[in-house]
Each structure stands twice: as C-alpha cells, then as structure tokens.
Amino acid sequence: MDELSILDLARATLLTALIVVTPALLVGMFVGIAVSLFQTVTSLQEQTLTLVPKMLAVVTTIVLLLPWILEQLRGFAIELYSSLAQWGPQGP
C-alpha cells in the first residue's frame, strides 16, 4: 500500500463522513438560529431553550435519514472491501 492509496482512502473516508453528517449539522444550525431569534425577540435567556430544540431536531433528522445514511455507509464499505485485494501483498 503506497502513500497515494492511503491518501485516496483518507479522502474517501472524510468525504463520506462529511456527506453523512451534513444534513444533521444544517438542521441543527438552522434550528439554533431560529431559537436565537426567538430568544432575542422575547428577551428570554434560558439555556435549556437553546439546547433541547436543537437536540430534538438533530435526533429527528438522523432517525428520518437513517436509511439514506446506512446506504451511504454500505456503499463506502463495499467500495473499501472490494479494493482491499489491490492493497494486499501481491503473489510470489
């Protein structure tokens, strides 16, 4: 396994991880902005008010997108395992 293969594997791993977590991060960000706007308008500064809606939104997003997430990870695993033969030691 040479350096180029290792870099390709690292790139594919990071790209897959980024693709999988992006929807949950975006939902958390938008819910956080909405709650912050609500707190600013109402002058309500309760710490749990920011945490609970974001947690619920992110967990709901992950649960709803779980089939898609698993399909992405399955595709990555299939690609990884199918390329293992080229990284292993070659014959005598």
Side-chain angles (χ1 to χ4, degrees):
M1 184 172 208
D2 60 343
E3 293 84 13
L4 187 58
S5 298
I6 293 171
L7 288 175
D8 284 341
L9 176 61
R11 182 193 54 78
T13 303
L14 290 175
L15 186 61
T16 302
L18 185 64
I19 289 171
V20 166
V21 300
T22 298
L25 290 176
L26 289 175
V27 167
M29 182 182 70
F30 286 125
V31 169
I33 290 171
V35 170
S36 294
L37 284 172
F38 175 75
Q39 282 185 316
T40 302
V41 169
T42 61
S43 299
L44 187 72
Q45 298 300 322
E46 178 64 33
Q47 291 296 335
T48 57
L49 187 62
T50 60
L51 182 65
V52 173
K54 279 195 281 189
M55 285 178 49
L56 289 175
V58 169
V59 167
T60 303
T61 302
I62 290 173
V63 168
L64 291 175
L65 292 179
L66 195 59
W68 177 79
I69 291 171
L70 291 176
E71 183 60 34
Q72 295 294 316
L73 294 176
R74 180 180 163 272
F76 175 74
I78 288 172
E79 182 180 327
L80 176 68
Y81 289 136
S82 66
S83 64
L84 280 179
Q86 72 181 7
W87 294 335
Q90 302 301 319

